[in-house]
């Protein structure tokens, strides 16, 4: 459900690693998505409230506030509570998916980001437009 159906979906990427940010942004833009970028959770919260993106890709390990705390803040704020939020993490333990879903994420993508799969993964999480 996009805020403005005439515009491509807006994706907020919260990621402190410059290479991962560039990769995610380039792949998403190449596939027609609009993007916003935040390198800290705090910046991500501000951008989310201002722009109400359709989906947030949220790194877990961030300087300052971590991604799980940021998720809770977003869920607490009525302005951002309904935004789909996908955990983006390098953790590779097999129980991670359950842990992140229990924390309230709508989904989970493990790094490294797949250039081939990211666009379809994001479309899948966005659901029918
Ligand atoms: Mn990180």
């Amino acid at each position: 459900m996009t805020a403005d159906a005439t515009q491509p979906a807006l994706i907020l990427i919260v990621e402190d690693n410059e290479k991962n940010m560039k990769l995610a942004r380039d792949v998403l833009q190449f596939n027609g998505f609009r993007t916003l970028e935040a390198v800290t959770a705090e910046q991500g919260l501000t951008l989310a409230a201002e722009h109400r993106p359709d989906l947030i890709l949220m790194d877990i390990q961030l300087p300052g506030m971590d991604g799980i705390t940021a998720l809770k803040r977003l869920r607490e704020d009525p302005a951002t509570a309904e935004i789909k939020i996908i955990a983006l993490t390098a953790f590779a333990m097999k129980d991670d998916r359950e842990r992140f879903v229990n924390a309230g994420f709508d989904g989970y993508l493990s790094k490294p980001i797949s250039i081939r799969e990211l666009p379809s993964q994001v479309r899948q999480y966005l659901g029918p437009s």
Side-chain angles (χ1 to χ4, degrees):
M1 186 77 104
T2 52
D4 179 350
T6 65
Q7 295 240 55
L10 179 62
I11 315 296
L12 169 59
I13 309 160
V14 185
E15 167 62 81
D16 64 317
N17 180 282
E18 201 176 325
K19 280 187 175 175
N20 287 334
M21 175 65 88
K22 178 173 169 27
L23 181 64
R25 175 227 301 144
D26 288 353
V27 170
L28 290 173
Q29 288 188 356
F30 183 79
N31 284 273
F33 295 103
R34 294 178 299 143
T35 59
L36 290 168
E37 300 171 30
V39 296
T40 64
E42 291 84 348
Q43 190 187 5
L45 294 179
T46 302
L47 288 176
E50 279 178 8
H51 298 275
R52 311 253 193 128
D54 299 289
L55 183 139
I56 301 174
L57 296 177
M58 179 72 76
D59 186 22
I60 299 299
Q61 292 173 300
L62 291 161
M65 186 189 299
D66 66 71
I68 292 175
T69 306
L71 167 80
K72 288 177 180 151
R73 297 283 174 83
L74 291 162
R75 293 297 189 231
E76 285 166 5
D77 182 347
T80 56
E82 303 300 321
I83 298 173
K84 289 185 180 165
I85 309 175
I86 308 304
L88 189 61
T89 177
F91 299 157
M93 294 157 66
K94 71 175 170 61
D95 62 345
D96 272 1
R97 181 177 291 270
E98 193 178 357
R99 187 159 73 88
F100 292 124
V101 171
N102 286 342
F105 284 101
D106 295 290
Y108 165 92
L109 293 179
S110 56
K111 289 188 270 191
I113 292 162
S114 166
I115 295 171
R116 277 185 52 195
E117 292 175 20
L118 182 65
S120 57
Q121 288 167 327
V122 164
R123 276 187 210 104
Q124 200 172 343
Y125 284 123
L126 283 169
S129 50

